[in-house]
Amino acid sequence: MWKKGSESFFRGCFFAVALLIITHANGQEALSFNRKKAPRTPLHTVTTTPAADTPAARKPLFVILKQLNQSKGIYFLFSNKAFGEQMVTPVPDKNRPIEQILDNLLQFTGLKYKKITDKAFVIVAAGPPENSPPPRPPIEENKTSNDKNVHLVKGKITGTEGRPLPNVTVLVKGTGRGTSTNMNGDFEILGSNGDLLVLSSVGFDKKEIPVNGGGAIIYIETQLNEAQSVMNEVVVTALGVNRYSRSLGYSLSKVSSEEITSSGNTNFASVLYGRSPGVLVNTAPGGATSAVEVQIRGVNSLNFNAQPLYVVDGIVIRNTNEKGITGINNGGYWVDSRIRGNGILDINPADIDNLTILKGASATALYGSEAAAGVVVITTKKGAPRKHLGVSVNYTNTIEEAAFLPKYQNEYGPGLDRATNLSEGATEDGWIRVDSNQMRPNFTAWAQFGPKFDGRMVPWWDGEMRPYEAHKNNYRQLYRTGFNSIANVAVSNQTDKASYRLSYTRNDYKGIQLGGDLQRNTLHLNSNFKISDKLNVDVVANYVDSKVHNRPFQLARIIASYSGFMSRADDMSVILNKYQTSDGYKWVPFNESQRNPAEAMRYNVQTEVFDFLWNQLRNSEDEYQDRFLNSVTLNYDLNKNLKFRVRLGNDFTSLKTETRNYSEYPVAFNGNTSTGQYKLANGRYSILYGDGLVTWSKKLNTNWHVSATGGFQSRKEQYTDQSSSTTDGFLKENWFSLQNSFHPITTTLDRSALLKYAFLGFFNVSYRNYLFLEGTLREEYSSTLPPGRNRYLYPSANAGFVFSDVLDLPSWVSFGKLRASFGIVGNAPPPYASAVTYSQTTLSTINGPVAALSAQMNAGNNDIRPENKYEQELGLETMLFKNRLGFDITAYSSRTVDQIIQLSIPSSSGAMSKLVNAGELQNTGLEAGINAIPYVNKKIKWTTRLNMSTARSKVRKLAPGVNRIVFYEAEQSAIRIVADEGETVGNVYVYPRLTDESGHYVIGENGLYIIDNTRYKKVGNVMPKVTGGWFNTINWKKFSFDCAIDYRFGGKLVSPPLKYNTGAGMYKSTLQYRDEAHGGLPYYINKSTNEKVLLPAHQSAAPDGGEVYHDGVILPGVTVNGKENTQIIDAAYYYTNTFYWGASAVNESAVVDNSYIKLREVSLGYELPAKVTNKLHFNSIRVSLIGRNLLYFWRTLKNLDPEATIGSNWIRQNVDEGSMAATRSFGFSVNMDF
Amino acid sequence: MMYNNMNKLSVYILSIVVLLSVCTSSCQKKLADLYYDPDQTVQPSIEQMFTEMLSNDRVRPSYWDIRTFVVMHTGIYTQSVGYLNNSIEYQQNAGYTQDRWDDFYRPGNIDGHGGIMAHYRLIEQLYSSIKDDKTKATEEVFLMAAKVVMLDQASQIVDMWGDIPFSEAGSVNTTGDIVSAKFDNAADVYNSILDGLKTASTYFTNLQLPTTTQVTFTKQDILLSGQIEKWQRYANSIRLRLLMRISFVDEQRAKNEVLNMLGNPSVYPLADGATAYTPATTDILLQPLTTHTDDLHLALTEIINYSAPDYLLNTVMKPSGDPRIPVLFDKYGRTVGDQFIPNTDYNALPVNETLEDQQINLGRYAIVDSATFLFNSKIPGIVISAPEVNFLKAEAYERWGGGDAKAAYELAVRQSIAFYYYLNGLNTTTRTPLTPPAAAAIDTFLQNGQMQYTGTTSEKLAKIWIQKWVHFGFLQSIQSWSEYRRTKYPALQFYPSTLPGYELPPTRLVYPASETAYNTNYASVKAKDLRTAKIFWDIKP
């Protein structure tokens, strides 16, 4: 801050302005109310703010002073160039002394003047109000009651931070007179002494001030307090229509840019955990390149389009649509072994101004089909009014590390149960005899019931002698420390005619899995041009360019497969050394040693980890993506009542994926095929979007305000994927070219297109700004439905009633509103899913080329009807105790009729599935949020928000011929996720263990549980019961602390790998029974009968002098004959068979509770003091320490991350088939403004 | 002013309405166009679907079938391939057997993967919807040929699973209704198949097609290139196979019908190569596509199934000095240091050794022939071959008389030798084909004690069955498994697994999840759905 009179301040930054003396001004014009120009409110703002009129026309200070210079020959200097741009009201009487003129001119500008000489003045900032209270006109005390002279009241209204408040409504109480403030917070109105001015503005507390004063002009300067409520903010609703949240008849959540960027997320969706009631987020493991799935209000569609529609600056963008029916990562490892991303990852969080989530049918009805799963409306940052060019620089850097790994046991090495060990040619313990004096571990044993680690030197598979010991971190070593760096620079400005914000973001990401990384550049421009008073154009352009190298692999083959389980005996450093040979070929298996006798493995091993490393470290799959997201919006105000808006936009992606797989062995060993691959895939995805709206709005009288809008919307999507690759390997090693294909190259083409358009209309009526009614209607046409029945209609209605404005409520109720809404949205199947068609192939046969025609694996249905969701919603919003406490509760229920589903059918009926309208789904739920400011004083402010929501999806009816829908099937049908009529969706059934009448488990002759595969037992439901989050912000002086916690209670996770790993003895929990220390029973084996006989104590000797074992287990239960089970089995036999793949194992063990409370994000920020920042020529500098996914306060899953699932449909989000570890990040961010 | 505004307004509205209506009318057409995938057709065709039924990678020895089905299931159950004694060796892989099942019933999205039943139902439906009698008559040949293919394949599904959805199967493509097909009794399905094959055979007798139909049929028939007579032989041979299959459970019927067939070769011609045998023309073989370049080396090496099977080489072929050994096996050898030490003799991988011993000594055992099997991309799919037909004839003659069993047996063995040398000769890329043994050498071989057609009836039958098993090899492992279960020959020993419930190979496959989960009729067969249950013809102790 500079000091008054400080000469140094003037140095270097002054502008000398030659001024002319002004001529006589026309005083009358200035006094009259200028009604020529209405302030530009956002188009389609259908609020009921009373009509706003501007006070007298203002001009930039510079212009007026220039006139003074011309007329009076006085020179003016500006201490800051921007001061000249301040809009001021010309002083009518230009013959007054210059000091008076300046006083008037600068009255509410925050500026003052300094007289240097008689002919030279400097315009400087007025300094903080507390130091120099603004000059207030003397109040005349002795006003007589008959003083009814009308005065011109001039005022300035600012917010608590001194920011001028535009659009504040100023009404003279008891009269119809009113006005509103301009962009600088100034207003002028005629008033008399004793009048009360009522100041109101959305987002601020209402204030009344008396008019009191003498003279022709009465000056008023006042502040409005911000209302502690989100009720009055402007929110973006469907089709980009701005509305005041108080007027909404449905629930909607808004997330601010601070929340999105505060902890350095690479995408906006991961921020939504728990933030908005009813919104469930699922981030696939793998970091910045992995998809984030969002589910709004429970299961909306049983298999299609479970993802919300994303709308960025009014344009519907691509998310997963290019994948059609299949979605992302829904098919398991063999369909796509890498963890994929989705389209929303390209939306740069740093460019988002705010994000609104439209949940219910009424909120989304205007988007029609595909909005059935909700809509996320994103508005990007615009150029803000600033005094000069604004530049902001943000940098975030976090360290990424693998987190929440399984708790593996480190005591026993590879080996199976004794019988199997012997059967495989090992010793009872699991050692394999190499020669008379050497033993080695069984490297191919899938389980870990072998010999105890003792550190002895043993022959290893690489031919070396190595210690037999546990490498506790070998699984962790499949991961590394990654990083995430986000640098962002944005410049923005606003002038009379235009405003813009241009931002560049660079994101470098190195994920935790070995091998992959990501680089992304985002260029974003949001600009507005005011072409004329009536015509206004918004141009938004985005360019995203990214390169992804080797997306993370699903580690299913290593963590969920018998051929891949890694023993703790494995030394990663040896494996990392051996996955490729010294000359760059693939590792050489023991039975192909001729390929490289020196480096071939000596023994057979668990091969999957080698293949993984070969694929991820040697081979490469590089994705180069260029994406353009553009939109142009034309706003045309024909007159006060009639407005047009036309918008055109596109989302265009060009994707090139280049695969380079290296030769696996020298071509000398080729037979009819070779190895290696070069593949080039090109994708072109385009969405063309357009809409047009005509809005007519009118304030009928002080009570009624109506508006009606009609419009048209259309969208065309086209997806083309084309790829060419070498076939059967390379002719010449490692020459990555299609010319090098061993056999003729393979090319594929995949294309799809869809067109949707709709006619729509909506109207809004409001009464006295407390009763609001909205109705919408949309008639939609979709190319994905059979011709002739591709048209459908959605109506919706909603009402909001701010009862606190009407009822006489206790004073502690600050605000209260009731909402009610009803709406219908529909959904059509994905492109080509319903058409009945045939695929032709040309076969090169002994008869020459012959055409073959095949029907479809997934049968279509030309009789398909769109599904319709009918949803109603009731809500209550309140603010209590002067906005210290607020509640927002919403209850909804929806019915989805004619649910379109790709119904799995027995393949014996001639297809794998058929598209049908399969019945009726009912969703009910409750969403609640509590806001509070538990503590506030001058220095500390603690705000908190607690969200919770429940959602329940139930099948009300199934179509004739369908009695049950099975969504997921595992373990030879022993585990199923199903929907039964009248039941909640997502029930999990398993074949239970057989029990007798009194509920005891029946144990078979082999000492194991008998599985009852004649019936299914319900063991739970995959849908969570309650989800939500708790958010806290504490501000203390310049520090701020944010912490986001989210939780999930109830709901099962189906994870066959957990069962396999238990059976394989991987976890610490499987140490139980293995030895005396872990509760094993002592027994010996009777040599003649080969029976296991229990011994009274571990110290007892076997009667026949044989070996005493300490790993006995007797399962509690009865024998088939009803006697108590006494059969002893060894621990390894118990684990390997009870938790084995398939239906004869105990499959309850693969269905586990998944509840948790997680510390999702923490940030501790510090705002550098203004003194420091100013010295550095910055407006503000903020540094933060940030962390994400730090820890679980509590979780039911011990050996699996609760968020390990991948896939874009709801079933896959509740099924784990082995993905990879979760990522924990921590680091810092710096935000600088100048 | 007001008037002007209104005027302007109506102009705006009018232009918007015009714009919208123009757009709408063109959009409507566009919508209909975009409904269909541009890369698909909406026009079904009997002829082209018939070709799709023939182009079957479960008949051709494809990587997928051998790798996921044969060497993991039927090949092990019959010891037609070598395999390592893992503890899970006899457990059925649910996904892969589901796949095998699916390939019969539902259309695949890749050529060669399926839809025999689905396409047959579509052909049936299209055929019945033909109004014009003349067209109907000419299209009938496609229906009949398709029927033979479907019945042939269906019999294999019965042989593996028992009761199967048959009479109501494949309806979703035709009626569009979701009806769970009932499980038909296996014996009933066999009856339908036998009847159907007889009807087809009768239809093909002396069939003359109009020229245009014949041209189309010749083109689309990628199995037999339109040779009507061969279609008849195909139908009859399969019928003979299946009649013999039920010959223990319904001997009277089998005997009557078989003897009737064998007694009237002019009415019931067989693919037996009775006069002259050339595998390529006599046998019913599905030739690989001319663009096919893949071979079986990965299918057989990935989970180590390339070693010579114990019983086949050590017990049957080596002691008798079988002349097929050089085309069936390579001696192989092991690498020690930089040295490759070739084996001096053909030795098979012992079936009773522990996994560890098997692995360590892998290099000491012979492997399947690299020219004939590992790197041969020209191996045809064997639908039915003359050696099998003659072994079947030999069995019938031996049990019921009516012909010279010895001659049929010896012819079959000679044909089998010729057949494997034919397969070996197909590979022209990796090695020079071996010269087939001279007739004299084969005569000597047939006089070998183990081969000689002497002894009691049961000894003779055993020889027929064992030699038929040799002939099937892993390329026809489903037939091999069926005949092994029916005849109980050869007497194979299996290394017991330690996995409870999976100690030995199954006697049938359990139903795939698609049926247990989605077929509402599954309850009717659930009690029988055991891996130890037996197919109805499996009654020999």
Side-chain angles (χ1 to χ4, degrees), chain B residues 144-379:
Chain B
M144 280 300 183
K147 189 171 185 169
V148 171
V149 174
M150 187 276 284
L151 296 175
D152 173 18
Q153 290 295 314
S155 74
Q156 299 183 25
I157 303 297
V158 174
D159 293 343
M160 291 187 279
W161 277 281
D163 298 353
I164 57 162
F166 181 74
S167 55
E168 294 174 353
S171 62
V172 79
N173 286 298
T174 52
T175 65
D177 297 336
I178 306 159
V179 179
S180 279
K182 70 169 202 272
F183 284 80
D184 292 305
N185 180 282
D188 295 342
V189 179
Y190 251 67
N191 286 336
S192 312
I193 293 172
L194 289 168
D195 293 345
L197 289 171
K198 193 169 178 182
T199 315
S201 165
T202 314
Y203 168 77
F204 285 123
T205 310
N206 300 324
L207 175 68
Q208 286 295 323
L209 294 175
T211 319
T212 49
T213 311
Q214 181 66 54
V215 168
T216 315
F217 187 56
T218 304
K219 183 85 178 165
Q220 296 295 136
D221 173 14
I222 61 169
L223 178 67
L224 300 172
S225 300
Q227 305 169 67
I228 302 291
E229 193 229 354
K230 230 173 149 185
W231 274 98
Q232 194 185 4
R233 287 180 191 271
Y234 171 21
N236 289 332
S237 304
I238 298 292
R239 190 161 151 247
L240 174 65
R241 171 198 280 175
L242 300 182
L243 284 167
M244 291 312 290
R245 183 88 27 93
I246 62 165
S247 66
F248 291 131
V249 65
D250 189 355
E251 181 151 12
Q252 203 50 50
R253 175 180 179 186
K255 181 179 171 183
N256 290 343
E257 295 196 21
V258 167
L259 290 184
N260 183 30
M261 278 176 84
L262 298 184
N264 299 293
S266 56
V267 183
Y268 300 105
L270 292 164
D272 56 3
T275 47
Y277 176 63
T278 330
T281 54
T282 311
D283 294 336
I284 312 297
L285 301 178
L286 179 63
Q287 293 300 337
L289 296 180
T290 53
T291 45
H292 178 77
T293 50
D294 201 8
D295 57 36
L296 299 180
H297 83 277
L298 286 177
L300 291 166
T301 54
E302 278 179 353
I303 44 174
I304 310 186
N305 298 98
Y306 50 80
S307 294
D310 194 349
Y311 195 90
L312 180 65
L313 180 59
N314 285 351
T315 312
V316 179
M317 299 184 84
K318 232 169 93 175
S320 62
D322 199 306
R324 284 169 291 191
I325 290 177
V327 287
L328 289 184
F329 304 108
D330 283 344
K331 285 179 193 150
Y332 201 44
R334 60 196 195 280
T335 310
V336 176
D338 279 357
Q339 284 287 308
F340 179 74
I341 306 173
N343 298 326
T344 52
D345 195 7
Y346 292 98
N347 287 307
L349 177 74
V351 80
N352 268 320
E353 263 183 10
T354 64
L355 171 67
E356 180 54 25
D357 289 341
Q358 287 182 323
Q359 289 189 151
I360 304 179
N361 296 316
L362 218 44
R364 297 176 191 272
Y365 305 121
I367 60 168
V368 295
D369 191 81
S370 58
T372 313
F373 298 110
L374 292 179
F375 298 109
N376 189 352
S377 55
K378 299 272 188 282
I379 310 177

Side-chain angles (χ1 to χ4, degrees), chain A residues 5 36 182 189 211 227 280 435 456 470 490 499 572 755 872 880 1073 1167 1230:
Chain A
K36 268 189 225 159
N182 66 7
I189 196 167
V211 176
L280 203 62
D435 51 43
R456 73 172 86 171
S499 73
M572 271 308 289
L755 174 69
Q872 51 264 333
L880 310 172
Y1073 308 131
E1167 178 103 36
V1230 183

Side-chain angles (χ1 to χ4, degrees), chain A residues 1141-1205:
Chain A
W1141 172 85
S1144 46
V1146 174
N1147 280 304
E1148 285 110 308
S1149 63
V1151 185
V1152 284
D1153 284 323
N1154 189 11
S1155 303
Y1156 63 82
I1157 304 174
K1158 185 171 190 174
L1159 180 58
R1160 179 77 53 186
E1161 292 176 359
V1162 172
S1163 82
L1164 176 65
Y1166 176 66
E1167 178 103 36
L1168 265 66
K1171 273 182 193 167
V1172 179
T1173 46
N1174 280 342
K1175 260 186 197 150
L1176 298 167
H1177 303 293
F1178 287 99
N1179 279 349
S1180 73
I1181 299 179
R1182 186 186 157 84
V1183 290
S1184 315
L1185 293 175
I1186 54 181
R1188 287 196 314 276
N1189 291 341
L1190 293 178
L1191 54 96
Y1192 287 97
F1193 291 113
W1194 172 77
R1195 58 171 167 155
T1196 51
L1197 285 172
K1198 301 299 175 205
N1199 289 313
L1200 185 68
D1201 183 58
E1203 301 178 287
T1205 60

Side-chain angles (χ1 to χ4, degrees), chain A residues 417 419-420 422-426 432 440 444 446 590-594 597-598 603-604 636 638-639 642 644 665 671-673 694 712 716 728 743 749-751 753-757 759 781-787 790-791 832 834-841 843-859 861-862 903-912 914 916 961-963 966 969 972-973 976 991 1006 1008 1013-1015 1133 1137 1140-1141 1144, chain B residues 5 8-9 12 16 20 23-24 27-28 30-32 34-45 48-49 51-52 55 85-88 91-94 98 101-102 105-109 111 118-119 122 165 169-173 176-181 218-223 225 287-291 293-295 297 301 304 306 332 335 337-338 354-357 359 362 375-377 429-430 495-496 498-500 502 510 513-520 526:
Chain A
D417 59 286
T420 310
L422 290 172
S423 151
E424 290 196 349
I432 287 175
R440 66 166 177 90
T444 54
W446 55 265
F590 82 109
N591 61 335
E592 302 281 4
S593 58
Q594 72 279 4
Y603 308 110
N604 200 0
Y636 186 74
L638 186 69
N639 59 38
L642 197 60
F644 292 90
Y665 46 79
N672 284 328
T673 55
V694 187
F712 173 77
K716 185 167 184 186
D728 296 333
H743 284 125
L749 169 68
D750 193 13
R751 49 189 175 147
L754 71 81
L755 174 69
K756 290 190 176 182
Y757 60 87
F759 300 98
Y781 298 76
S782 166
S783 71
T784 64
L785 282 165
N790 49 16
R791 176 175 127 168
Y832 313 144
S834 71
V836 177
T837 57
Y838 305 89
S839 311
Q840 183 183 313
T841 328
L843 305 176
S844 306
T845 73
I846 48 169
N847 300 338
V850 178
L853 200 63
S854 169
Q856 300 304 319
M857 188 185 263
N858 299 304
N861 185 345
N862 284 337
L903 186 72
S904 291
I905 54 175
S907 55
S908 62
S909 24
M912 298 302 281
K914 184 170 169 78
V916 290
V962 184
N963 47 4
V966 181
E969 263 256 332
Q972 298 173 300
S973 303
R976 287 170 162 191
Y991 286 149
N1006 55 12
L1008 298 170
N1013 65 3
T1014 60
R1015 68 188 184 98
Y1133 183 81
N1137 293 305
Y1140 192 63
W1141 172 85
S1144 46
Chain B
N5 256 350
K8 231 176 170 178
L9 177 64
Y12 279 119
I16 285 170
L20 290 185
C23 184
T24 319
C27 282
Q28 275 287 10
K30 192 94 186 164
L31 282 182
L34 289 174
Y35 178 64
Y36 294 104
D37 186 338
D39 296 321
Q40 308 267 338
T41 166
V42 288
Q43 204 60 48
S45 142
Q48 293 180 8
M49 286 199 227
T51 306
E52 180 70 25
S55 181
N85 285 322
N86 294 313
S87 57
I88 54 164
Q91 191 179 39
Q92 179 179 334
N93 181 303
Q98 168 86 64
W101 171 277
D102 290 347
Y105 285 108
R106 58 100 184 92
N109 283 353
D111 168 60
H119 291 123
L122 279 165
S171 62
V172 79
N173 286 298
D177 297 336
I178 306 159
V179 179
S180 279
T218 304
K219 183 85 178 165
Q220 296 295 136
D221 173 14
I222 61 169
L223 178 67
S225 300
Q287 293 300 337
L289 296 180
T290 53
T291 45
T293 50
D294 201 8
D295 57 36
H297 83 277
T301 54
I304 310 186
Y306 50 80
Y332 201 44
T335 310
D338 279 357
T354 64
L355 171 67
E356 180 54 25
D357 289 341
Q359 289 189 151
L362 218 44
F375 298 109
N376 189 352
S377 55
T429 50
T430 52
Y495 186 79
T498 53
L499 187 66
Y502 299 93
V510 295
S514 84
E515 304 303 315
T516 61
Y518 312 126
N519 193 331
T520 47
K526 187 165 183 172

Side-chain angles (χ1 to χ4, degrees), chain A residues 352-417:
Chain A
I352 297 177
D353 182 54
N354 69 71
L355 174 158
T356 350
I357 302 172
L358 308 176
K359 294 184 269 198
S362 183
T364 61
L366 279 178
Y367 284 111
S369 76
E370 297 176 45
V375 182
V376 176
V377 181
I378 293 165
T379 312
T380 62
K381 287 179 182 159
K382 293 177 172 60
R386 304 186 59 120
K387 288 177 183 161
H388 57 92
L389 184 73
V391 180
S392 79
V393 176
N394 303 296
Y395 182 72
T396 304
N397 195 317
T398 57
I399 300 292
E400 314 271 301
E401 61 166 37
F404 317 124
L405 301 182
K407 294 179 172 65
Y408 288 130
Q409 59 91 4
N410 292 302
E411 294 186 32
Y412 292 88
L416 296 137
D417 59 286

Side-chain angles (χ1 to χ4, degrees), chain A residues 129 135 206 223 229 308 359 512 523 554 590 598 704 712 721 726 805 862 890 923 938 1005 1009 1039 1160 1221:
Chain A
K206 202 182 259 188
Q223 291 186 335
S229 137
K359 294 184 269 198
I512 57 168
L523 213 52
Q554 299 177 37
F590 82 109
W704 292 95
F712 173 77
D721 278 295
T726 59
D805 281 13
N862 284 337
T890 308
N923 277 358
K938 282 202 165 147
E1005 274 178 38
Y1009 296 111
F1039 289 94
R1160 179 77 53 186

